Structure formats: structure tokens, C-alpha cells
Amino acid sequence: MKRFTSVLVSALMLFGISGAFTVQADPADAPAFTADDVRNLQDYLTTVPADLSLKDKPYDFSGDKCWNAADLTLMKRGLLPEAPQNNTIVVYFSRTGNTEKIAEYLIELTGAGSYEIEAAVPYSDADIAYGNSSCRANQEQNDKTVRPEIAEPIASLDGYDTVFLGYPIWWGEEPRIIDTFLESYDFSEKTVIPFCTSASSGISVSEKNIAELVPIGNQLTGRRFAASASKDSVKSWYDSLPLETEQKLILTVNGQELTAELADSTAAKELAEKLKAEPISVMLNEYGGFEKVGKLPWSLTKSDESIVTGAGDIMLYQGNQMTVFYDSNTWSYTRLGHINITQEALKNILGDGNVTVEMSVK
Ligand SMILES: Cc1cc2nc3c(=O)[nH]c(=O)nc-3n(C[C@H](O)[C@H](O)[C@H](O)COP(=O)(O)O)c2cc1C
């Protein structure tokens, strides 16, 4: 069994290779870190590009002239973008601000992330003077193969399940730069919801183009707005969308209800489906001073990986057992979910011995 020390050893090995700095064991004055930090650190260490130069970076947070495990943990927080809190993003292109206004209403209403598509070569007023048959926009719209370059492409859409995609209608269609965007990422498992503004044209031709351009997991029917559309009209549309609300796992233990986020794994989806059909009761046995583990009535699809668990983690073990962790362990598991709770509170609720857990989803 590896515990935190093994993560530290990995850190030493990884950074030892670069030879960029000295590492020492935990000093007494190291900043406090949590099981989540350790997990984050491990995630970071397994994903950091080998050629990332960290030389001269000011990550000696404890000020001891060395980089230690706590510094590495804090460095990870500084280097990696925070995982999106909301799995929805509003992406839009807007040359004269009309679509941007609708996008802003959506962002306010949903709390979603946002990304504005901007052209590497910006569209000047002359470029969009569509009364002039040879203006840039008209030339682009006349050639379905044109893919205008995007100025600063968003690095990744991972972590976003739902993408609102906004654009103006140009000659009845989406501007070609929207095609550039669509062809740059994988939408095969995402929900995409187009919206547009126009002088009068509808959205349907662009919706068909989008559907035919790239594989999209679930493309919802979009909406055309007038430039003058109100926030209320955007809200009514948003409220009418058949968007799935995120399911939560409910564990009732010793009369207390615990709510868990479901993990992004096939096993977690299968678990949710099964519990939707029928809630179950599972006897969990105390094991090892760090977990309660019990047999599920069925097997779920394993996607095991080596995981440093933290308090609140719910894992699938060997495909047919569920473990609820109140402390750390490193082993091969498939993530099922996570209860956002302190270790102390969870330990109190779970108690010392074996315990029966009622499980359902809502
Ligand atoms: C090149 C070009 C072509 C356009 N073609 C159409 C069109 O076919 N139908 C329409 O209703 N509006 C058309 N418009 C008007 C825009 O769709 C409308 O002004 C839109 O709200 C602009 O959005 P934006 O401010 O986000 O760029 C066109 C505008 C431009 C610049």
C-alpha cells in the first residue's frame, strides 16, 4: 500500500530528472495540505508534460529555499487551470455585438463558462460590408471550404458537457469561423445548442450545416433572436430546453442523508441507472481503518486506475464491491462518486463498525 510518501517519491523522481532544483522531505513549517491536495498532486504528476520547464519558477511557498511536497501541491494549483465548476460553456462569435449580448444573458442565467471566438485576422467594417459582393465575409460565405483561423483557440473543451454556440447569420448560414471552431474539438459526447442573431433569417439552415459538419452527441434545437431580444426571452428559451439536471447519489447512513456527486465513469452511470430503477440497501464492513466496503447486488463496468483515495470518495472495488472512504488508501479502483464532507463528520456518521447504507439517486 502506498500512501502519501509514494506520491512524494514520484515527485522526487519526476523532478529529480529535470535537475532543476533540490527537494527535501517535509519541513516542520510546510503549509497544511489535505487528502484532496494529495490527490490533485498525484493527478498533476501523472499529466504534467515531460518537457514543461519549471526552472526559476517561484514555487518555494514555504520559503525554505527548497521545493518540497507541499510546494509541489501548491504549484499544481497555480499551473493547472481550475476544473470548471459548471459543465456548461457559452461559446460565441459576434462581430457587431448583437450575439454577444444574448451570450451574456445566457452566461448570467446559467453561471456557465464562456469563450468568445475571435478571428486571427479580425473582421474590419469593410470585411463585413455585405452590400459589397466582394467583401471578405461574402467571399468566405460563398466558399463552404474556407476556415478562417481563430485568434486564440480555447485549449480544451474537456470538462464541458454542454456547449451553447452563438453566432450571427451571414447569408442564411453560420459564419465559416464557426465551422473552424466545430472542426477543432470533439463534440461526439457533448450536447450542443446553437443560437444566433440575424436581421430576419432563421437558424434552421445553420443548424443543419452544423449537424452535418461534425459528429455531435446531442444537438438540441436552437433559437434565433432579434438583436433587441430581452433577457426574459432568453430565459424562457433556456427554461424550455430539455437539459438533463445532474443526478446525485443519495446515501442514507444511520438516519443521516449524504449527497454525493456522481463520478464521470461508466460504472457511475450504470449505478445511477440501476438505482433509478430501484433503490438498494448495502451492508458495508469496516476495513483497514480507512474504508467501509460491501458487495453490490450487481457488477458494474470497471475502469480501474491507481487512485489515492480521500475522505468522501466512493469507489468500485473489483467490479462488484462499493467502498466509502473516510481516510486515505492507494489502490486500483473505479470512481463512483464523492461526498463533499470533512473526514471528521464522515467518520462520525459512519461510526466504528459495520453499517447499512440505503442508496438511491435524485
Ligand atoms: C456578411 C453578413 C451577412 C448577413 N446576412 C444576413 C442574412 O442572411 N440574414 C439576416 O437576417 N441577417 C444577415 N446579416 C445580419 C446579421 O445577422 C445581424 O446583424 C446579426 O445580429 C449580427 O450579429 P453580431 O452583432 O453578433 O455580429 C448579415 C450580416 C453580415 C455582416
Side-chain angles (χ1 to χ4, degrees):
M1 181 199 310
K2 294 180 282 175
R3 281 181 184 261
F4 174 68
T5 43
S6 68
V7 175
L8 178 60
V9 169
S10 317
L12 300 180
M13 284 166 61
L14 182 93
F15 291 99
I17 291 164
S18 79
F21 56 88
T22 331
V23 184
Q24 70 168 30
D26 287 331
D29 60 351
F33 49 83
T34 64
D36 267 351
D37 285 326
V38 177
R39 186 175 33 232
N40 287 343
L41 175 59
Q42 192 187 40
D43 290 350
Y44 170 67
L45 291 172
T46 52
T47 56
V48 64
D51 58 353
L52 179 66
S53 170
L54 300 167
K55 198 163 182 289
D56 300 330
K57 292 263 192 314
Y59 288 119
D60 180 16
F61 290 92
S62 47
D64 58 2
K65 306 271 186 283
C66 298
W67 284 15
N68 54 47
D71 290 335
L72 291 170
T73 301
L74 295 166
M75 175 190 68
K76 181 265 165 194
R77 288 187 198 163
L79 278 177
L80 293 186
E82 285 296 317
Q85 295 301 303
N86 183 316
N87 63 2
T88 300
I89 186 166
V90 178
V91 174
Y92 64 95
F93 168 70
S94 179
R95 170 50 187 79
T96 56
N98 297 339
T99 312
E100 179 168 49
K101 199 180 71 182
I102 307 298
E104 281 168 357
Y105 291 154
L106 266 177
I107 295 160
E108 280 171 44
L109 287 166
T110 58
S114 67
Y115 167 67
E116 181 179 3
I117 300 171
E118 290 182 286
V121 179
Y123 289 89
S124 67
D125 288 346
D127 287 343
I128 60 158
Y130 58 109
N132 170 5
S133 60
S134 61
C135 77
R136 174 182 165 196
N138 290 11
Q139 287 185 34
E140 289 178 1
Q141 294 307 104
N142 279 332
D143 181 352
K144 272 191 175 288
T145 66
V146 172
R147 295 291 179 267
E149 194 186 330
I150 292 174
E152 286 177 30
I154 185 168
S156 163
L157 290 175
D158 291 355
Y160 294 109
D161 301 333
T162 304
V163 182
F164 283 90
L165 181 58
Y167 47 84
I169 295 294
W170 283 5
W171 293 108
E173 300 185 320
E174 75 287 1
R176 299 287 170 243
I177 199 164
I178 293 295
D179 301 345
T180 311
F181 173 77
L182 285 164
E183 286 175 349
S184 304
Y185 306 91
D186 179 5
F187 294 92
S188 61
E189 291 186 7
K190 298 193 191 300
T191 297
V192 173
I193 311 155
F195 65 97
C196 71
T197 62
S198 72
S200 61
S201 300
I203 195 170
S204 56
V205 177
S206 65
E207 283 184 298
K208 188 165 173 288
N209 289 348
I210 290 169
E212 287 171 359
L213 191 65
V214 290
I216 291 178
N218 180 23
Q219 182 176 336
L220 299 188
T221 305
R223 172 67 64 92
R224 176 257 167 195
F225 292 94
S228 58
S230 66
K231 188 172 175 183
D232 278 352
S233 65
V234 176
K235 183 174 185 323
S236 322
W237 171 61
Y238 175 72
D239 289 342
S240 74
L241 289 169
L243 287 170
E244 280 177 25
T245 50
E246 222 173 286
Q247 275 184 327
K248 305 272 190 220
L249 189 59
I250 307 298
L251 307 183
T252 309
V253 192
N254 292 326
Q256 301 233 38
E257 195 175 281
L258 297 166
T259 303
E261 307 281 340
L262 280 158
D264 186 15
S265 66
T266 304
K269 288 187 184 81
E270 290 170 352
L271 177 68
E273 277 308 302
K274 290 186 181 290
L275 294 177
K276 210 160 69 178
E278 192 180 11
I280 58 166
S281 175
V282 182
M283 164 66 106
L284 300 182
N285 300 309
E286 166 60 35
Y287 182 80
F290 49 77
E291 71 179 24
K292 306 266 186 204
V293 56
K295 198 152 187 284
L296 293 166
W298 1 257
S299 290
L300 302 172
T301 304
K302 285 202 287 184
S303 48
D304 280 0
E305 53 181 318
S306 175
I307 294 175
V308 184
T309 66
D313 279 338
I314 305 169
M315 301 287 176
L316 179 69
Y317 173 59
Q318 294 188 337
N320 64 353
Q321 294 169 60
M322 184 186 80
T323 55
V324 177
F325 286 91
Y326 55 85
D327 210 332
S328 180
N329 186 40
T330 301
W331 201 257
S332 225
Y333 301 110
T334 298
R335 289 187 193 279
L336 288 177
H338 180 75
I339 310 162
N340 204 2
I341 189 169
T342 64
Q343 182 181 42
E344 205 186 348
L346 184 59
K347 269 177 150 175
N348 278 339
I349 294 170
L350 291 174
D352 287 339
N354 302 345
V355 69
T356 302
V357 179
E358 314 294 333
M359 296 177 65
S360 60
V361 281
K362 84 170 169 199

